[in-house]
Amino acid sequence: MSLIERFQPLVRRARDESSHITTEEATKTALILPMLQILGYDVFNPREVIPEYIADIGKKKGEKVDYAIMKDGEISVLIECKPLGMNLDQAHFTQLYRYFSVTPARFGVLTNGVEYRFFSDLDDRNKLDDQPFFRFDLLDHNDRDLEELKKFSKSDFEVDNILGSASQLKYISLIQEEFSSLITDVPEDFVKFIVSRVYEGRMTQSVLSEFKPTVYDAIQQFIREQVDTRLKKALNSSDLSVNDVMRSDPAEKEAEPEDGIETTQEEIDAYNIVRALVCDKVDIERVVMRDTKSYCGILLDDNNRKPICRLRFNGKSIKRVEFFDDEADRVEIKDIKDIFLFKDRLLNTLDKYIQ
């Protein structure tokens, strides 16, 4: 089972049960310990995961960090936990900061069960950095985030491998934050830089003030157009309707006549999600839907021998998606948006057909 599939129940719990996870202990039990288990650690083995880890520091006696993860008999990762919903920007993590300098740990993690912030000592050896080099959000992550998180799993954990990309990750994150600030409150230096490339008149403070809202509008419009273009390409390169996507499977025509086949809006929406997920791998025009009475198939090149997945939504309450990668099986989903969790499986299936 892939990492993304193992995450699915935890994602649902964080999304659906948050109102019942109201304390730090509940956050540990419901979210953080299951996360460690997903990453391959035996949370009941104190040789792997030590709860309430104590390391006396000078006059500070009996202070505890919530968890310490062991690797080859040494402390490798320290984890400080906060209640679900706490803003980690405002969270204190003094124990994590203190313990980092007196243990062999190279990584510290601050988490509220949904957001995980990973720290190291990139700026000053044996001193925890002020800024995390990696952030993972259980409810908002992409494939790249999962690949970075996987480096912290028991089977993949290698300090040098993680540190090799940590500095780049840190600065990518900081640059993204700066870019986010830039497009919401355009600084004068940036306005001056842009205007100097398009305006031939004399650059005065009045000109800059006049151009600032124009630069802001241009940035926002550019971003919207890029998003719209990608969505149109991924979801609707032509005007889709039920009649456009509804086809019967020739392999089942005799046993299941076309009469009575009803393609639902949910199936069309799921089909569009699949197209969006695979559009970087193949031209979405090659991704075709065929509906039958028993399932709705999504094929590559309209070829029965190249199924990408099958949607089995005919039951009133249970929805399943059938996959055709190396772990071919049917997976129950709660909502069609859960298909986004299986991008890797869809792409792995396509790899078999286009190699």
Side-chain angles (χ1 to χ4, degrees):
M1 184 180 293
S2 67
L3 183 63
I4 195 168
E5 287 178 274
R6 296 200 298 272
F7 267 120
Q8 188 181 12
L10 191 58
V11 171
R12 288 178 180 171
R13 180 182 297 168
R15 183 183 62 205
D16 300 339
E17 304 296 332
S18 60
S19 62
H20 302 288
I21 305 173
T22 57
T23 65
E24 182 177 311
E25 288 304 313
T27 302
K28 293 178 184 177
T29 302
L31 298 174
I32 297 170
L33 288 178
M35 168 69 87
L36 296 180
Q37 289 178 312
I38 288 171
L39 293 175
Y41 297 100
D42 182 354
V43 298
F44 303 108
N45 183 353
R47 294 184 180 181
E48 288 189 20
V49 180
I50 304 174
E52 300 292 302
Y53 178 70
I54 299 175
D56 292 337
I57 306 168
K59 296 181 180 180
K60 294 285 185 179
K61 303 294 183 181
E63 286 195 348
K64 304 172 183 178
V65 69
D66 294 291
Y67 297 106
I69 294 179
M70 304 283 287
K71 175 70 174 179
D72 298 328
E74 286 193 336
I75 303 296
S76 58
V77 182
L78 301 174
I79 304 174
E80 185 159 343
C81 307
K82 300 299 178 183
L84 177 64
M86 174 174 279
N87 184 344
L88 295 186
D89 287 330
Q90 301 172 355
H92 298 289
F93 50 109
T94 52
Q95 288 95 330
L96 190 64
Y97 191 88
R98 290 195 191 104
Y99 281 19
F100 186 85
S101 63
V102 296
T103 69
R106 295 302 308 275
F107 305 104
V109 180
L110 178 66
T111 179
N112 60 11
V114 167
E115 184 182 356
Y116 290 77
R117 298 187 179 183
F118 293 79
F119 299 81
S120 189
D121 54 354
L122 302 175
D123 296 333
D124 192 355
R125 189 71 170 90
N126 292 328
K127 181 180 178 181
L128 201 67
D129 295 337
D130 293 329
Q131 294 291 332
F133 67 86
F134 172 53
R135 303 183 188 210
F136 181 83
D137 192 320
L138 187 63
L139 300 179
D140 184 15
H141 57 265
N142 55 36
D143 290 348
R144 188 183 304 110
D145 295 333
L146 284 172
E147 285 301 313
E148 292 300 328
L149 182 67
K150 190 178 179 183
K151 293 178 182 178
F152 285 90
S153 66
K154 180 181 175 181
S155 59
D156 290 13
F157 188 89
E158 293 291 343
V159 171
D160 291 342
N161 185 34
I162 299 172
L163 290 177
S165 60
S167 181
Q168 183 183 24
L169 285 172
K170 175 182 177 180
Y171 286 106
I172 285 176
S173 177
L174 292 174
I175 290 170
Q176 287 175 336
E177 289 179 10
E178 288 299 317
F179 184 73
S180 177
S181 299
L182 183 151
I183 63 177
T184 54
D185 184 16
V186 186
E188 185 172 299
D189 288 346
F190 183 76
V191 175
K192 187 174 182 178
F193 169 75
I194 294 295
V195 173
S196 68
R197 300 175 70 90
V198 299
Y199 179 69
E200 297 180 354
R202 184 167 172 266
M203 191 75 64
T204 65
Q205 188 61 45
S206 175
V207 169
L208 290 177
S209 298
E210 184 177 343
F211 263 104
K212 183 172 182 177
T214 303
V215 172
Y216 173 82
D217 290 342
I219 292 173
Q220 297 297 321
Q221 183 174 332
F222 175 79
I223 293 173
R224 284 195 299 270
E225 288 175 353
Q226 292 297 306
V227 172
D228 288 345
T229 299
R230 186 170 181 83
L231 286 175
K232 287 176 181 177
K233 176 184 176 183
L235 299 178
N236 204 11
S237 59
S238 59
D239 293 332
L240 280 176
S241 66
V242 171
N243 290 332
D244 292 325
V245 299
M246 185 174 64
R247 299 189 181 101
S248 60
D249 188 337
E252 300 195 4
K253 268 189 176 179
E254 292 185 8
E256 296 184 338
E258 191 167 317
D259 293 343
I261 296 175
E262 179 183 357
T263 301
T264 66
Q265 187 60 49
E266 272 194 333
E267 289 171 331
I268 295 174
D269 291 342
Y271 167 55
N272 282 330
I273 289 173
V274 171
R275 286 166 54 127
L277 292 175
V278 304
C279 68
D280 289 334
K281 177 78 69 172
V282 296
D283 187 331
I284 59 172
E285 294 298 331
R286 299 175 63 188
V287 181
V288 174
M289 173 190 274
R290 287 192 189 179
D291 205 358
T292 74
K293 279 189 175 181
S294 56
Y295 64 82
C296 181
I298 301 178
L299 312 171
L300 180 66
D301 298 330
D302 206 7
N303 188 334
N304 285 332
R305 295 185 178 86
K306 296 181 180 180
I308 300 173
C309 67
R310 287 176 179 170
L311 312 174
R312 297 184 177 272
F313 293 177
N314 292 338
K316 291 184 177 180
S317 58
I318 298 177
K319 296 182 179 65
R320 292 186 175 91
V321 179
E322 185 175 0
F323 294 97
F324 294 89
D325 57 357
D326 293 335
E327 303 174 32
D329 60 0
R330 299 178 186 179
V331 177
E332 183 176 332
I333 63 174
K334 185 174 181 180
D335 187 278
I336 62 169
K337 293 191 294 295
D338 291 341
I339 296 174
F340 282 105
L341 300 173
F342 299 98
K343 179 178 180 179
D344 287 345
R345 297 197 65 175
L346 297 171
L347 295 180
N348 289 340
T349 300
L350 284 172
D351 284 339
K352 296 195 304 182
Y353 304 145
I354 62 180
Q355 286 178 350

